[in-house]
Amino acid sequence: MVTAAGSTEADVLCRDGRIAALLDPGGAAAPAGADELLDARGQLVFPGFIDPHVHSRDPGATHKETFAHSTLGALCGGITTTLEMPNAIPAVADLATFRSRRAEHEPRAWTDFGLWGLALGPDNADEIAAMFGEGAVAVKLFWGYALHRETKGLVYNFADEPPENLLLPPENGEVLELFRSVAATGGVLAAHCEDRHILAASAERLGHPIETYADLLAARPAVAEATSIAVGAQFARETGCRFHVVHMASRMGAETVRQAQALGAPVTAETCPQYLTLSAADADRLGPLIKVYPPVRDAENQQALWDALGDGTICSVGSDHAPHTVDEKNLGFGAAPAGGVGIETMAPLLVDGMLRGKVSPQRLARVLSTDTARLYGLWPRKGDIRPGADADLTLVDPQAQHTVRNERLHALNPNSTWHGAELKGAVTASVLGGRLSMRDGEPVGERHGRFVAADHARTRAAEAAAGEAAA
Ligand SMILES: [Zn+2]
């Protein structure tokens, strides 16, 4: 059993969907009277992995992906809880849409799931507290992106739309007010961090549209990420709002987060498997498959992200599963949209990293489960193997080998950046709510995922109690 606290041997007794007890390994108490026995000898048993960064494209772009496909892929890749990003169409920017999205997704969920809300700034300031009250795990600011006035879909290039259709991104003064309003809820404000003015100036300096990977790096430099992080960190210090940097991709970004944390700012960060496993050296081989925002950088940046994962600067890993059709990704480097499938390969790639010595088993338990659950107000119900917690477990065979194959993935458009990758270890089984729900990359039984409401106040209270107990 591998948890944030360490590795031990135990029998895990599950009852009515929860962990009932941890028993001496092989003791007489466990098997006696159990309806079902899962033999995990020789395996590492982690608290069920959580993917906090999922764009299922549902509703609004279900030719790219659906919630049923993404949660099935998650389950088959060892994830037991997914947190769905708010920017489907319509976006989850108000309480009514939050409730309807929950109702639409619940019957289709292969994993337990939580929902993000969208933070627009002044345009939905009144809805933020209501969404947190309904169990939103966090709110997301697509900092610097315009939004379509009607659909609330993201507009990557302002020139693509007539100005009257655009909701321009909030200016810094408005963003500071947003930090204040999220601070008042006790929730988390997460942001896409790439300063839009630096992006605009960099594109202008490039002088022509993006055609190659080198153009992409020139147009989206690391300083754009670090600058937004630095501004957000000061806003977090000023307001006490918890600020989370999603998909951090650069050494400069990691250094900025580390400095802010040293000053006591409530700043946390996420990175993604693409930034931990790919680098500029893969660009020619992958073509548009490597195109994500912020971009994948060089090997030095990749190592800095592993270091930040190891020392706790980065507390959570998410897939940023953001599928497009195969045809869309084949449009050529400049025209292809950013993003790709990743939910089913996230845990296998991180397990491979662990077995290659890049991250310890305990740290893996934290970034894929415990610390993610804490950040999003789900702990100790999720993210731990302790009596009373949901009986969600992910089993890993450290001796096995795993080859990523598109034809084995469950995405609607199985077009993986890692097709053909040969990985150490394998995710072999998942228990969700006390039921064996996945084995060897395929589901077991009917889908039974449920909506999980975040409760940040409860997580805070449990953390305080655990801290006192430890003291
Ligand atoms: Zn994303």
Side-chain angles (χ1 to χ4, degrees), residues 51 54-59 61-79 82 84 104-105 107-111 319 321-324 341-345 406-415 441-443 447:
D51 187 345
V54 183
H55 302 273
S56 295
R57 312 300 198 192
D58 187 355
T62 50
H63 59 293
K64 295 176 190 271
E65 182 67 315
T66 75
F67 187 73
H69 282 90
S70 69
T71 54
L72 179 57
L75 182 73
C76 294
I79 308 294
T82 58
E84 180 66 27
E104 290 157 20
H105 284 348
R108 302 186 181 122
W110 286 93
T111 59
S319 69
H321 183 69
H324 299 285
V341 297
I343 202 166
E344 197 165 351
T345 47
N406 280 338
E407 55 273 24
R408 284 206 66 194
L409 298 178
H410 296 81
L412 179 61
N413 289 283
N415 186 26
E442 292 298 330
R447 72 184 91 183

Side-chain angles (χ1 to χ4, degrees), residues 53-55 57 85 87 140 142 154 156 192 246-247 270 272 293 319-322:
H53 195 149
V54 183
H55 302 273
R57 312 300 198 192
M85 280 290 177
N87 61 316
K140 170 98 176 260
F142 288 87
L154 289 186
Y156 289 86
H192 180 116
V246 291
H247 54 50
E270 169 198 80
C272 313
Y293 298 157
S319 69
D320 202 0
H321 183 69

Side-chain angles (χ1 to χ4, degrees), residues 89-91 147-153 164-167:
I89 301 171
L147 288 162
H148 195 281
R149 193 172 286 281
E150 296 304 319
T151 67
K152 303 288 196 297
E164 62 271 21
N165 285 356
L166 294 177
L167 274 175

